[in-house]
Amino acid sequence: MKNKEKIFVNIVSNAIIVVIILIVVLFAFSESATNVFRPQESPIYNGDKNSNMVSLMFNVYQGNEEVKEILEILNRNNLKCTFFVGGVWVKNNPEVFFGIVARGHEIGNHGYNHKNHSTLSDADDLKEISSTHELVLDLTGIKMRLFAPPSGDYDKQNLKNAASLDYATILWSKDTIDWRDQNADLIVQRATKNLAGGDLVLMHPTPATVDALQRIIDYCVSNGLSIVTV
């Protein structure tokens, strides 16, 4: 009987140890998985490189007619993209902004006045982000969680402030530089050259971008890439 009792105790003990190990591993995994989606004090340049997904991102401070044309193209292709909006633009152009929201596109924060955030005081930096957040929240109920610093300009304080407001800071892996170079062929080339899963493609609402957009979409489709929000 004593041997049987010993065996039973050993089995129970080992089972308890295994259960404890499993709990620790699962907890660690869940913490790790959650951290991926938590705002971090470092910018994000890519999505999942092991996927076939790419994101087209539009930073908006102007180009109302072009925004409308972009929305029509995306609608015809049944696509949803990410629009990073400037607060002052939202305030002055609510109808166009609501058009983006009504189409179900993702809305991100692009600061309020398109300032270089690395040059701002701590308080002004926070205000640029929070003012846009509060404006969009009041108008739509949307709690934005993605921040794209104007001109890609940031510093450690800006990253820290964005994270404190529950934002992930988003940059890009493909820059079309369409705001400067009004050439549709060049925009298509910059957007699609070596385009691969996880790429974040930066664009703006310009006439040349409108001309280039369908070709960029067609390239993605023909190469097995899915266009998704950030």
Side-chain angles (χ1 to χ4, degrees):
M1 286 295 293
K2 287 185 178 180
N3 287 336
K4 287 184 178 180
E5 287 176 1
K6 274 187 177 182
I7 293 171
F8 177 75
V9 169
N10 287 336
I11 291 172
V12 171
S13 299
N14 289 334
I16 291 172
I17 291 171
V18 170
V19 170
I20 291 172
I21 291 172
L22 285 173
I23 290 172
V24 170
V25 170
L26 288 172
F27 179 77
F29 177 80
S30 64
E31 281 293 295
S32 176
T34 303
N35 284 336
V36 173
F37 300 98
R38 284 178 181 167
Q40 300 178 19
E41 292 178 24
S42 57
I44 296 169
Y45 293 87
N46 291 91
D48 183 0
K49 293 183 179 182
N50 294 317
S51 74
N52 70 331
M53 297 179 288
V54 298
S55 294
L56 306 183
M57 312 183 301
F58 300 91
N59 288 355
V60 185
Y61 266 98
Q62 57 187 8
N64 288 352
E65 290 307 312
E66 287 73 27
V67 169
K68 294 175 185 177
E69 292 181 76
I70 287 169
L71 290 175
E72 287 303 314
I73 293 170
L74 296 177
N75 187 57
R76 288 200 301 269
N77 289 273
N78 194 30
L79 294 174
K80 296 293 186 288
C81 292
T82 301
F83 288 78
F84 289 94
V85 296
V88 68
W89 178 81
V90 172
K91 182 179 179 180
N92 293 331
N93 304 279
E95 284 189 25
V96 184
F97 170 66
F98 282 126
I100 299 173
V101 175
R103 297 291 181 99
H105 296 287
E106 183 175 46
I107 306 298
N109 190 326
H110 198 35
Y112 199 87
N113 291 298
H114 205 278
K115 294 184 176 181
N116 289 333
H117 281 250
S118 68
T119 67
L120 301 177
S121 68
D122 185 26
D124 287 343
D125 179 50
L126 275 168
K127 186 176 180 181
E128 280 288 308
I129 304 171
S130 62
S131 294
T132 304
H133 181 88
E134 290 164 9
L135 175 62
V136 170
L137 182 61
D138 288 344
L139 290 174
T140 66
I142 294 172
K143 294 182 179 180
M144 299 180 291
R145 287 294 174 258
L146 304 176
F147 169 66
S151 304
D153 181 78
Y154 68 91
D155 59 10
K156 289 183 179 180
Q157 188 62 53
N158 174 238
L159 293 171
K160 182 178 180 180
N161 285 336
S164 74
L165 295 170
D166 207 21
Y167 275 93
T169 297
I170 307 297
L171 292 180
W172 59 83
S173 58
K174 299 283 185 186
D175 188 357
T176 61
I177 322 178
D178 53 356
W179 57 271
R180 186 189 71 190
D181 299 326
Q182 289 294 292
N183 182 313
D185 292 337
L186 190 55
I187 292 168
V188 172
Q189 179 186 349
R190 287 171 176 163
T192 60
K193 185 177 181 180
N194 299 321
L195 188 66
D199 273 325
L200 305 179
V201 183
L202 176 61
M203 294 185 281
H204 302 78
T206 75
T209 305
V210 172
D211 291 341
L213 183 56
Q214 186 60 57
R215 280 190 277 165
I216 294 170
I217 293 170
D218 291 342
Y219 178 91
C220 291
V221 173
S222 64
N223 285 274
L225 296 170
S226 297
I227 297 173
V228 299
T229 61
V230 174

